[in-house]
Amino acid sequence: MSLQGKRVVIIGGTSGIGMATAQAFLAEHAKVVIGSRSSSKLSDAVQALHQHVEAYELDFRHLDDVANFFGKVGAFDHLVVTAGEGAMGDFRELPIAEVRNAFESKFWGQYHTVRAAIPYLNEASSITLTSGVYGKKPPKAASTLAAINSAVEGLMRGLTLDLAPIRVNVVSPGLVDTPLYAGMTEEPRTGLFNHVAGQLPVGRIAQPSDIASTYVYLAKNGFTTGSVIMVDGGAILS
Ligand SMILES: NC(=O)c1ccc[n+]([C@@H]2O[C@H](COP(=O)([O-])OP(=O)(O)OC[C@H]3O[C@@H](n4cnc5c(N)ncnc54)[C@H](OP(=O)(O)O)[C@@H]3O)[C@@H](O)[C@H]2O)c1
């Protein structure tokens, strides 16, 4: 299924996996619309992508905001959501408020986005959400992300039936070198990346482009729905 001229909306398209995904869809000659909270990230991303890209602000934790966003976008073909913030910490110590905030973002944000997008999609459309390998194989201190990622995958299975013939899938990345880790100082970040790379069958952690091509595949392949595609360098087996 060609993506030439198709309109693709990427919530989270200003950074990391989402920005690489915007690049990958542009390479397929799709028309790309990106959304995120920060106006400066939006204008930086539009410049970095070097092509005509529509960009609108939204905070996907708020349903009204998301509805307003899609009102501006209008009809489109494929929806990708990569936005989402998590929370890490031992189950006994992590404040419940932080767990709820993470659900507000990564679970409810994706839920709101799908809900508000439906009127603007068509029968040949696809929706691709994002979970993460911790949904299936959490390390210690990842119970919140284990729960959120599993919930996103469960939501996708329900939506696959409720929204058919629109196709619905999930991409589940392993560790990816993105600005998500910008809050860590250099040494522990490099230590984490090297430690994980050493455990993986592929011997390295992912770059955003490794994950981006999966969203393109799922938009193009008209026979794939109800699937979780793990792009984890073999983490699940290591
Ligand atoms: N990187 C990894 O190792 C990894 C591994 C497994 C799963 N994942 C998942 O992959 C997804 C993308 O991660 P990433 O590494 O690409 O993260 P990232 O570089 O931090 O990018 C996150 C994007 O989401 C946007 N965003 C965050 N909160 C938002 C909100 N409330 N409303 C609208 N936009 C929002 C951010 O822009 P603004 O700040 O402008 O809103 C940014 O564009 C996340 O769901 C993450 O959990 C990542």
Side-chain angles (χ1 to χ4, degrees), residues 12 14-15 17 36-38 41 59-60 82-83 106 174 176 178 181:
T14 58
S15 176
I17 296 169
S36 84
R37 291 167 300 185
S38 148
K41 278 194 200 171
D59 184 334
F60 77 162
T82 64
K106 193 166 178 179
V176 191
T178 73
Y181 299 96

Side-chain angles (χ1 to χ4, degrees), residues 3 25 167 212-222 224 229:
L3 292 173
F25 276 102
R167 296 179 299 103
S213 55
T214 317
Y215 295 93
V216 170
Y217 157 75
L218 288 168
K220 283 178 92 165
N221 187 309
T224 308
I229 310 289

Side-chain angles (χ1 to χ4, degrees), residues 224-236:
T224 308
T225 193
S227 292
V228 177
I229 310 289
M230 309 282 301
V231 194
D232 65 350
I236 206 84

Side-chain angles (χ1 to χ4, degrees), residues 135-156:
K136 292 209 168 62
K137 191 183 178 193
K140 277 185 187 284
S143 59
T144 300
L145 276 169
I148 293 173
N149 289 330
S150 300
V152 169
E153 292 174 11
L155 175 67
M156 174 278 290

Side-chain angles (χ1 to χ4, degrees), residues 51-52 55 72 74 82 91 100 112 117 131 166 176 184 188 195:
Q51 287 186 54
H52 179 69
K72 287 185 208 153
T82 64
F91 180 79
R100 287 189 188 278
H112 292 155
S131 63
I166 293 173
V176 191
M184 289 174 87
H195 173 72

